[in-house]
Amino acid sequence: MISQPGQRLAHDHAQLDALLKQLQQALKAGDLKAGYTTLDLFWARLAVHIRAEHLHLFPRVLSRLSKPVNQTVGPSLSQAQSVVDDLRADHDFFMHKLAGAIGTLRDMTNSDDVAERLKTIRETIIEVEKRLLVHNEIEERQVYNWSTALFDQQEQIELLTVINKELAHYPSRFTFDTWATVTESKAEEPIVQ
Ligand SMILES: [Fe+2]
Ligand SMILES: [Fe+2]
């Protein structure tokens, strides 16, 4: 079973995935404006998601495993550390690749090789999508589940609270509606609780 903090983050994975699909549609259609706005939003939302994992989820899980008290569930500290190290390397990869794609898309308006550059950006986004799929699955199956096993209900509520706070902390260039609403699922409730 996935814990409340895990459910919250897994829900964010689904929203990011929907946003990524919209980005791919815009790029496929050659719509530079929509491509840029969607990529900017996807990048920013992924950055905030990653920050919540770095600042709150990963340290709490590792800290608990470093002081096991009759621990019969979850991985060993070294197993968890190695999984988290890999996940952090993925995060660096995503941010680096997306920053490059944003830079290219931003400077493209007057360029005369739009088709070629768009092709490169689309390839980068596919690379990010493939690695993100595996990454999210590892998080949901391992780290998010460990938080259920390791934390009592009170600790999970505390973790959920700080994660929600982090996810609601969006850059000022976005409006709340832009930030919280993924177009494909307008009927859904806003993600910020
Ligand atoms: Fe992650
Ligand atoms: Fe995640």
Side-chain angles (χ1 to χ4, degrees), residues 9 13 49 53 135-136 139 144:
L9 290 168
H13 284 172
H49 178 96
E53 292 176 341
H135 175 93
N136 289 349
E139 285 183 342
Y144 295 0

Side-chain angles (χ1 to χ4, degrees), residues 11-22:
H11 176 65
D12 213 38
H13 284 172
Q15 295 247 319
L16 285 163
D17 186 53
L19 212 44
L20 196 58
K21 296 280 182 295
Q22 286 173 27

Side-chain angles (χ1 to χ4, degrees), residues 117-152:
R117 289 203 194 190
L118 264 181
K119 189 170 166 270
T120 312
I121 293 173
R122 286 177 66 190
E123 284 165 0
T124 303
I125 298 304
I126 288 171
E127 231 186 311
V128 167
E129 183 186 31
K130 281 185 181 160
R131 191 155 164 179
L132 189 60
L133 197 77
V134 179
H135 175 93
N136 289 349
E137 215 179 290
I138 292 172
E139 285 183 342
E140 288 173 27
R141 288 213 326 254
Q142 301 190 56
V143 189
Y144 295 0
N145 271 331
W146 298 339
S147 69
T148 311
L150 296 170
F151 302 134
D152 64 26

Side-chain angles (χ1 to χ4, degrees), residues 60-62 64-65 71-75 143 145-152 155-156:
R60 284 183 195 219
V61 166
L62 293 176
R64 173 56 49 90
L65 290 169
Q71 188 202 324
T72 52
V73 290
V143 189
N145 271 331
W146 298 339
S147 69
T148 311
L150 296 170
F151 302 134
D152 64 26
E155 290 167 325
Q156 288 189 41

Side-chain angles (χ1 to χ4, degrees), residues 40-92:
D40 188 35
L41 179 60
F42 175 73
W43 182 45
R45 280 199 46 170
L46 184 60
V48 165
H49 178 96
I50 285 174
R51 195 168 60 200
E53 292 176 341
H54 275 225
L55 292 181
H56 305 295
L57 179 70
F58 295 168
R60 284 183 195 219
V61 166
L62 293 176
S63 154
R64 173 56 49 90
L65 290 169
S66 70
K67 314 174 209 108
V69 183
N70 299 326
Q71 188 202 324
T72 52
V73 290
S76 71
L77 176 61
S78 64
Q79 282 167 337
Q81 185 68 63
S82 133
V83 171
V84 166
D85 287 348
D86 289 347
L87 293 171
R88 284 196 170 120
D90 288 342
H91 289 165
D92 290 345

